[in-house]
Amino acid sequence: MIDMQDKTTHFGFKEVPAADKEKLVGKVFTSVAGKYDLMNDLMSGGVHRLWKRHFVAASGIREGQRVLDLAGGTGDIAQLLMPRLGESGHVIIGDINQAMLEVGQDRMIDAGFFGRFEIQQMNAEALPLEDNSIDAVTMAFGLRNVTDKQQALNEMYRVLKPGGKALVLEFSQVNNSLLKQLYQFYSFKILPEIGHWVTNDRDSYQYLVESIEQHPNQETLQQMFEQAGLEMCGYENLSAGIVAIHTGYKL
């Protein structure tokens, strides 16, 4: 785990004290919570919904399982999981940001899932769950915001039951040079302006774009999965590597 007193880390392209990143990220997501899903639709042209549906469809999660959805915030992944989990399944929506959790709780209740889920404010680096207690851990577009990513993966491994599966959907490295140039132009020149127009918060979306650039590429993240103790690790690129699904098992 990162020594918060001595270390620095990146917040977008800025170097900040590691102890400050959690608070800075918290401000970003408190600012955008109410329009987070709308912004995702605008920024991706709705494609994020297809990525998330594929993420859940390919998850192998089954009826009756207990799933932890980390960085679950607005509840979009949890809602997709519910038909797979059935009446006997249960999902814990964990997020470090209370404002995001409140949005997710309201949406899950409105969707008719009362009693089949719970929300819990938690830090991915120190999960308040027992060892070997979860069948699957999912995390969509949240790992890049964690200060100590390796520690978060270590915690996923700890709470998984033997045979359990960790799944991370995250922005990654585009594997086509021309597409990468176009994607970076769109990301740095267009997306922050959309954020300014919709949420009156350009800086938060500038950070989110920069955080994508700082995130480990596919091979590096797979190695981090393996370092956490996960086995049979692999990844699937979507949209030419704009995002990737990483998986690993606790055997």
Side-chain angles (χ1 to χ4, degrees):
M1 184 180 295
I2 290 175
D3 183 343
M4 297 297 184
Q5 292 183 343
D6 300 327
K7 298 288 186 179
T8 62
T9 190
H10 57 79
F11 177 73
F13 289 163
K14 300 175 183 176
E15 283 291 318
V16 299
D20 292 348
K21 182 171 180 177
E22 180 180 322
K23 184 184 297 184
L24 292 168
V25 170
K27 288 181 180 178
V28 168
F29 285 95
T30 297
S31 173
V32 304
K35 295 183 177 179
Y36 182 72
D37 288 336
L38 171 62
M39 276 298 301
N40 284 341
D41 283 333
L42 291 173
M43 291 189 301
S44 71
V47 176
H48 78 103
R49 296 182 183 272
L50 299 179
W51 292 334
K52 290 170 181 174
R53 286 173 188 161
H54 180 71
F55 177 59
V56 171
S59 68
I61 289 170
R62 304 185 305 276
E63 184 172 355
Q65 290 189 320
R66 186 174 187 235
V67 177
L68 169 64
D69 182 35
L70 278 173
T74 58
D76 52 354
I77 297 296
Q79 288 188 56
L80 293 172
L81 285 170
M82 297 313 292
R84 292 182 160 272
L85 292 172
E87 294 291 334
S88 60
H90 188 80
V91 62
I92 303 167
I93 303 174
D95 201 296
I96 202 166
N97 187 278
Q98 186 63 33
M100 296 282 281
L101 285 171
E102 289 171 1
V103 172
Q105 178 174 249
D106 291 344
R107 289 182 178 175
M108 291 290 283
I109 292 173
D110 290 345
F113 298 127
F114 182 79
R116 296 169 58 192
F117 76 98
E118 62 186 278
I119 65 167
Q120 190 169 352
Q121 190 171 12
M122 62 177 70
N123 187 330
E125 298 172 32
L127 298 176
L129 300 169
E130 295 181 359
D131 297 357
N132 308 310
S133 61
I134 297 293
D135 294 296
V137 179
T138 58
M139 192 176 199
F141 302 115
L143 185 61
R144 72 183 188 280
N145 297 308
V146 175
T147 304
D148 190 339
K149 299 173 181 61
Q150 186 63 62
Q151 176 61 19
L153 294 172
N154 296 345
E155 280 291 276
M156 291 183 197
Y157 178 86
R158 180 183 66 79
V159 303
L160 281 171
K161 297 176 181 178
K165 187 176 184 180
L167 305 102
V168 172
L169 171 64
E170 189 54 271
F171 288 103
S172 200
Q173 185 172 105
V174 177
N175 51 27
N176 177 284
S177 58
L178 177 59
L179 179 59
K180 184 174 183 177
Q181 291 178 35
L182 294 171
Y183 176 62
Q184 288 185 325
F185 174 81
Y186 177 69
S187 297
F188 284 95
K189 301 297 184 183
I190 307 299
L191 292 189
E193 299 307 320
I194 297 175
H196 175 69
W197 173 55
V198 176
T199 68
N200 197 31
D201 185 353
R202 187 186 191 283
D203 290 346
S204 288
Y205 284 91
Q206 182 69 34
Y207 157 72
L208 292 174
V209 169
E210 292 175 1
S211 72
I212 293 169
E213 285 291 304
Q214 296 282 32
H215 189 66
N217 64 19
Q218 290 92 323
E219 290 76 18
T220 302
L221 187 54
Q222 179 172 324
Q223 292 170 6
M224 294 170 69
F225 265 63
E226 293 167 350
Q227 185 175 331
L230 295 159
E231 300 185 48
M232 298 172 59
C233 299
Y235 63 86
E236 176 188 2
N237 284 329
L238 304 179
S239 301
I242 290 176
V243 302
I245 298 172
H246 283 261
T247 57
Y249 294 83
K250 181 175 181 177
L251 300 181

